[in-house]
Amino acid sequence: MDLSGWLLLTAAVYVVIFVCLTVYGRRRIAGRLVGFSLAGREMGPVTTALAMCAVYTSASTFMGMGGWAYAGGLAGVWPAMSQLWAMVIVLALFMTVMKRSGDRLGSMSLPDYLGDRYNSDLLRLVMAALTLLNVYYLAGQFVGGATLLKTYFGLPYVTGVCVMAVATLVYVLIGGAYTEVMTNAFNGFVMFVVAVLLFFGGLWLVGGFEGLVSRLASVDPALLQEPVNPRSVVPTWGAWMGLFVIHWTLFISPHIANKFWAVRSGGSLKPFIIVATLVLGAYVLVSWVGLFARAMIPEPVTPDAAVPTFVNRFLPVWAAALVGIGILAAIISTAAGLYIVIGTAVGNEFFRKTFVRRNWFGLAGLENAAVEARSILIARITMAAAALVAVAISWHPPQFLSSLMLIGLSTIGVGVVGPVGIGAWWRRATPSGAIASLVAGAGTQLLLWPILKFYTSPFAPGVIAAAVGALTMIVVSLATQPLSEEHLEKVLGSGRTVEA
């Protein structure tokens, strides 16, 4: 059987499993927004850990990070590897606190959590609006999927973008978070198998580490330079600091944090942390495949196409088909998670928690069932609108896939350093401090990188923006009225937190 046959076979199996999980998820929603947005808070820790890693591990990891390694050599591998340590820090320092507080408050998303944590509707709305920047990350998934379809099937790029938009949108509209978590857990397992296969299979083909170094040296000795060099995507130590800061902030971004609250309440989070560490550790190894491609493919290829090109050229057809499905799974998983947080931002934070609660347009008189139904409908309409905007953004392919996705991710990530990173532990943090920090951190990042272009990557300005946000959080909080002890006890309990 040739590659097309294997691809059709694996794709058929994949689609059948997806359809079954989508139908199941549709039944479990039962007209509840918590079912649509958080899978009813009923998922086990192992399932949710696989889903979280799958959502985080997007086209950027399976294609974009490999593209960095292909273009920059060994120096391009380390940015991917730093993600693992960033995740461990976040899970160890913040997950337990955020999970406990979010369950106590009934939070459905990161904007919802921050609004409840600081008792501030304004903060909830500002964070919800910032969450909409994830449309850039969604566009990155379309770019990755279109590149994959072009490499495997010769499908025109624009057609591939449209196919990915429709394919990723439909099943989330039907099944919501139940479908998203379960399919992403399945995707996470498939991606784990693919990552292990790619790394060890590619390493064997290239002749081990010794063979890899020898081949790279013959292609271009500069490919073996140290991590900090002018050719690297992180050319300075300041950029490296920013890379690490941005990576750890990504794990408290909206589409990741909502997985904390999807875990069944009352159980141990240790299985979640252990499984997430092992699975992501395997995923980041895929960046090495970009090096394998540079060492073994003589003619130049587009960096983001390096991994699928290597797979098509050197792996057996059945393995190439499995890898293709694995990369597609990464793209679909992340897109699904992004649809959920974007839809929830409007359906829950704007409509349910603001318009209805404040009786705008006379909505307070609606029965609860009607509010839930309208919230889900608004979330679905928002998802469809986000897909259209993402298609427009991805209509022309960017130079580097990862750079496109980091526009939204880095801005949201540095914005929440103060409200989440400091506010999770510091009882003196205030609503005014959180709002000022969010605006200052995100605004500084946008100003320094994509707007004024003071830097060529988001990493170095990420350090500056995170520092600005953190300092603003502390200064403004100390200068404004603190939250009542009664509210803090409700939110944070009497556990180990930092006083003023």
Side-chain angles (χ1 to χ4, degrees):
M1 189 183 298
D2 61 10
L3 178 59
S4 297
W6 278 106
L7 279 171
L8 289 174
L9 177 62
T10 52
V13 173
Y14 188 75
V15 168
V16 168
I17 294 173
F18 253 59
V19 169
C20 292
L21 292 174
T22 300
V23 172
Y24 177 75
R26 172 70 176 179
R27 292 176 178 175
R28 294 294 299 274
I29 291 174
R32 299 174 301 151
L33 186 59
V34 69
F36 187 82
S37 300
L38 282 183
R41 305 182 194 273
E42 299 171 351
M43 308 308 294
V46 173
T47 300
T48 314
L50 282 167
M52 185 200 75
C53 289
V55 169
Y56 177 80
T57 308
S58 64
S60 175
T61 300
F62 272 74
M63 297 172 67
M65 296 294 183
W68 279 356
Y70 178 86
L74 276 174
V77 168
W78 307 120
M81 305 301 289
S82 70
Q83 297 174 80
L84 183 60
W85 299 109
M87 184 194 71
V88 171
I89 290 173
V90 168
L91 295 184
L93 292 180
F94 303 112
M95 181 182 177
T96 301
V97 176
M98 292 174 66
K99 168 67 175 169
R100 183 175 63 240
S101 299
D103 283 352
R104 189 180 294 121
L105 296 167
S107 304
M108 291 190 185
S109 63
L110 186 59
D112 201 17
Y113 166 76
L114 290 176
D116 293 337
R117 158 67 178 89
Y118 293 98
N119 195 26
S120 170
D121 286 339
L122 178 58
L123 177 59
R124 179 184 286 109
L125 292 178
V126 172
M127 186 64 218
L130 194 61
T131 298
L132 300 181
L133 283 176
N134 272 313
V135 72
Y136 281 97
Y137 198 16
L138 183 61
Q141 307 316 304
F142 297 169
V143 172
T147 302
L148 183 70
L149 293 174
K150 182 178 181 180
T151 303
Y152 272 88
F153 297 106
L155 202 66
Y157 171 80
V158 171
T159 303
V161 167
C162 296
V163 168
M164 290 305 304
V166 174
T168 55
L169 177 64
V170 170
Y171 88 94
V172 181
L173 287 178
I174 296 172
Y178 273 110
T179 294
E180 186 248 331
V181 173
M182 291 184 297
T183 55
N184 285 351
F186 169 71
N187 285 342
F189 177 75
V190 172
M191 291 152 57
F192 177 81
V193 173
V194 166
V196 172
L197 172 67
L198 271 176
F199 177 74
F200 288 104
L203 189 63
W204 177 76
L205 286 171
V206 84
F209 289 110
E210 184 177 347
L212 174 63
V213 171
S214 176
R215 288 172 180 263
L216 289 175
S218 65
V219 173
D220 184 356
L223 294 172
L224 301 176
Q225 289 184 28
E226 62 276 2
V228 177
N229 71 78
R231 292 182 51 168
S232 173
V233 292
V234 279
T236 66
W237 286 113
W240 268 100
M241 291 176 59
L243 171 72
F244 190 77
V245 168
I246 286 178
H247 273 159
W248 79 257
T249 59
L250 297 184
F251 283 100
I252 49 176
S253 58
H255 69 295
I256 302 297
N258 72 341
K259 299 298 178 290
F260 300 169
W261 301 305
V263 179
R264 187 183 302 115
S265 299
S268 172
L269 293 177
K270 288 182 180 179
F272 183 103
I273 296 173
I274 292 171
V275 171
T277 302
L278 292 175
V279 171
L280 188 66
Y283 290 173
V284 298
L285 293 175
V286 176
S287 61
W288 287 80
V289 182
L291 282 182
F292 303 156
R294 189 64 183 269
M296 296 184 67
I297 300 175
E299 73 277 9
V301 299
T302 303
D304 288 333
V307 172
T309 301
F310 176 85
V311 168
N312 283 348
R313 188 166 301 187
F314 297 108
L315 294 189
V317 288
W318 63 267
L322 180 61
V323 170
I325 293 300
I327 298 175
L328 189 63
I331 294 167
I332 290 175
S333 297
T334 301
L338 294 171
Y339 281 129
I340 291 294
V341 297
I342 291 172
T344 302
V346 178
N348 183 60
E349 280 75 75
F350 277 92
F351 177 74
R352 181 170 171 267
K353 286 292 185 75
T354 304
F355 291 4
V356 175
R357 179 184 288 178
R358 290 179 172 271
N359 195 27
W360 290 1
F361 312 111
L363 292 170
L366 290 174
E367 295 183 358
N368 186 60
V371 172
E372 295 283 312
R374 291 193 185 187
S375 297
I376 293 175
L377 176 61
I378 290 170
R380 286 173 168 152
I381 293 172
T382 303
M383 292 176 188
L388 291 175
V389 174
V391 166
I393 293 171
S394 58
W395 200 256
H396 300 288
Q399 180 182 6
F400 286 107
L401 174 63
S402 295
S403 297
L404 171 65
M405 292 190 287
L406 282 170
I407 292 176
L409 278 177
S410 64
T411 303
I412 296 170
V414 298
V416 299
V417 166
V420 176
I422 296 176
W425 292 97
W426 191 37
R427 300 174 76 89
R428 186 61 177 78
T430 68
S432 297
I435 295 170
S437 174
L438 183 64
V439 173
T444 300
Q445 177 71 0
L446 283 172
L447 191 66
L448 292 180
W449 180 40
I451 296 178
L452 297 181
K453 302 185 185 300
F454 283 169
Y455 297 88
T456 57
S457 80
F459 304 129
V463 175
I464 300 171
V468 168
L471 182 62
T472 302
M473 179 76 180
I474 294 170
V475 171
V476 176
S477 290
L478 291 175
T480 52
Q481 183 70 26
L483 290 162
S484 69
E485 190 59 35
E486 180 183 0
H487 178 76
L488 291 174
E489 192 71 20
K490 177 184 176 182
V491 174
L492 299 175
S494 55
R496 292 177 295 177
T497 51
V498 180
E499 301 289 348

